[in-house]
Amino acid sequence: MKFLVINGVNLARTGKRERGVYGEETLDTINSELQAFVKAHGHEADFFQSDVEGELCAKIGQADGNYDGIVLNAGAYTHYSYALRDAIAGVSTPVVEVHMSNVHAREEFRNTSVLTEVCRGEVLGFGKNSYKLALESFWL
Ligand code: DQA
């Protein structure tokens, strides 16, 4: 299977920002580990990051039909982007929503996701392993 791992706004700064919440590893390090993880299970993955909402929507649209699954950490867009929600609703490729932190144990605005309803499922609170669990969900 072939997967697309998408990271949204501010996630390029993983390992530099709020390390107590998101850990000390950079996004490149995490993505390398995910690449190895996926390969070890006989699958493939591409990676994309953008801080720009429209670029994330366009990428999801372009991915439609070209991947078996999308793993998406939309960052703060999760909580209010109807554009991203529509992008996900508009593709047949299943999307699994991911968060490294337990968003339900944080500020109230993070308790709401406008994306979950149009996603296949959601994995949160397990740091970088949230991505691994989300990927695994496609082949388990
Ligand atoms: C996040 C949680 C969001 O609330 C936050 O805005 C992020 C990262 C997470 O991975 O825990 O940027 O998606």
Side-chain angles (χ1 to χ4, degrees):
M1 283 190 275
K2 196 171 174 193
F3 304 110
L4 178 62
V5 179
I6 300 179
N7 277 282
V9 63
N10 291 319
L11 286 151
R13 301 203 67 250
T14 302
K16 300 179 189 91
R17 67 159 184 156
E18 299 185 81
R19 291 179 183 182
V21 179
Y22 303 118
E24 310 226 326
E25 289 180 72
T26 65
L27 188 61
D28 282 349
T29 305
I30 292 170
N31 284 346
S32 300
E33 194 176 320
L34 296 178
Q35 182 72 271
F37 177 71
V38 161
K39 271 192 183 166
H41 287 86
H43 307 294
E44 289 174 57
D46 289 332
F47 297 85
F48 179 76
Q49 189 280 327
S50 178
D51 286 345
V52 181
E53 187 181 21
E55 288 182 5
L56 297 165
C57 295
K59 192 72 182 177
I60 289 166
Q62 288 155 13
D64 196 17
N66 296 315
Y67 292 91
D68 296 291
I70 297 172
V71 166
L72 171 67
N73 185 349
Y77 289 142
T78 304
H79 312 301
Y80 64 89
S81 175
Y82 297 121
L84 262 180
R85 180 193 167 105
D86 283 352
I88 296 165
V91 296
S92 55
T93 309
V95 177
V96 174
E97 178 181 342
V98 159
H99 302 286
M100 288 188 275
S101 65
N102 178 355
V103 287
H104 299 293
R106 301 180 63 194
E107 300 94 325
E108 204 180 332
F109 75 89
R110 295 185 206 277
N111 294 350
T112 301
S113 167
V114 299
L115 309 182
T116 312
E117 213 172 59
V118 290
C119 287
R120 175 181 276 186
E122 182 187 24
V123 181
L124 59 93
F126 299 104
K128 65 181 178 185
N129 288 332
S130 290
Y131 295 98
K132 287 189 187 172
L133 293 165
L135 286 161
E136 228 178 8
S137 73
F138 286 104
W139 67 76
L140 280 181

